[in-house]
């Protein structure tokens, strides 16, 4: 009697585990790649735009509110213009944006390199010599602004709110997906 042994052999196939890079690369939806890149680029552009706008509005309202609530009285003693910075083929003129540099006279002492923030709503567009202004901080002044009236406070608080809303839009721009 002959004894025979039959073995069933399976063909050996090499498979990659699902956690490898190649498996993930094969499973990636390549048709949606341009759409994902466009969304990330749009999120970056919008967030930078909203951040710049929010910093401008928050900076102006912050300086106006700080100098008028915690500042001390001084007078404009000297004005000098900030340098016109070339940006490509254009020139960035600070005076057109409402930022001036000069000196103030506070209690008989002259402080140099003070930045004036204008326009002061509703009537002043630039500082004048001998004009009464408020400076902040009190020990070593750094920024100056005109004393605000009722409408000036309304504008400063409105700019503060707009700046906070634009900062929120900056944060929300990263939720584009």
């Amino acid at each position: 009697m002959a004894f025979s042994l039959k073995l069933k052999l399976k063909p050996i196939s090499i498979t990659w585990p699902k956690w490898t890079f190649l498996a993930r690369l094969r499973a990636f939806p390549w048709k949606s790649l341009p759409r994902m890149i466009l969304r990330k680029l749009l999120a970056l552009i919008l967030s930078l735009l909203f951040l710049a706008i929010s910093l401008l509005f928050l900076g102006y309202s912050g300086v106006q509110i700080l100098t008028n609530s915690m500042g001390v009285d001084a007078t404009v003693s000297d004005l000098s213009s900030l340098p016109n910075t070339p940006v490509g083929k254009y020139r960035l003129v600070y005076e057109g944006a409402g930022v001036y540099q000069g000196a103030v006279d506070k209690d008989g002492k002259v402080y140099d390199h003070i930045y004036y923030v204008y326009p002061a709503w509703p009537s002043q567009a630039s500082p004048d010599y001998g004009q009464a202004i408020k400076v902040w901080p009190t020990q070593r002044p750094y920024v100056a602004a005109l004393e605000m009236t009722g409408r000036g406070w309304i504008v400063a608080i409105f700019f503060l709110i707009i700046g906070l809303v634009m900062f929120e839009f900056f944060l929300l721009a990263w939720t584009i997906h």
Side-chain angles (χ1 to χ4, degrees):
M1 182 162 179
F3 181 70
S4 73
L5 181 62
K6 292 186 179 180
L7 296 174
K8 291 186 176 181
L9 296 175
K10 291 183 179 179
I12 298 174
S13 64
I14 299 174
T15 59
W16 296 98
K18 292 189 176 201
W19 48 266
T20 63
F21 174 73
L22 292 175
R24 281 185 277 156
L25 198 59
R26 274 185 298 207
F28 187 78
W30 289 101
K31 290 181 180 178
S32 66
L33 182 64
R35 189 177 198 185
M36 287 177 17
I37 292 172
L38 184 63
R39 284 184 178 174
K40 295 296 180 187
L41 186 64
L42 180 65
L44 177 70
I45 291 169
L46 285 176
S47 66
L48 290 177
L49 175 72
F50 289 137
L51 180 65
I53 292 172
S54 71
L55 290 178
L56 285 173
F57 278 94
L58 289 174
Y60 175 78
S61 63
V63 167
Q64 288 288 351
I65 291 171
L66 273 175
T67 56
N68 280 284
S69 61
M70 297 172 33
V72 294
D73 293 326
T75 58
V76 176
S77 65
D78 184 28
L79 275 176
S80 62
S81 63
L82 290 168
N84 295 335
T85 308
V87 179
K89 64 179 181 176
Y90 302 104
R91 298 195 75 67
L92 183 62
V93 181
Y94 293 100
E95 286 82 8
V99 179
Y100 298 86
Q101 184 180 14
V104 296
D105 182 17
K106 184 185 89 139
D107 300 330
K109 188 173 181 183
V110 176
Y111 293 98
D112 290 332
H113 304 294
I114 306 294
Y115 294 98
Y116 302 99
V117 179
Y118 280 79
W121 302 93
S123 60
Q124 290 289 330
S126 64
D128 295 326
Y129 294 103
Q131 186 176 34
I133 58 172
K134 295 260 188 188
V135 293
W136 183 82
T138 58
Q139 299 301 322
R140 172 61 183 106
Y142 187 67
V143 293
L146 279 178
E147 189 168 358
M148 290 190 290
T149 60
R151 283 187 274 171
W153 280 102
I154 291 171
V155 169
I157 291 172
F158 177 74
F159 278 14
L160 178 68
I161 292 170
I162 294 296
L164 290 173
V165 168
M166 288 295 142
F167 188 73
E168 183 179 356
F169 285 167
F170 158 72
L171 295 175
L172 285 175
W174 285 107
T175 62
I176 295 175
H177 58 279

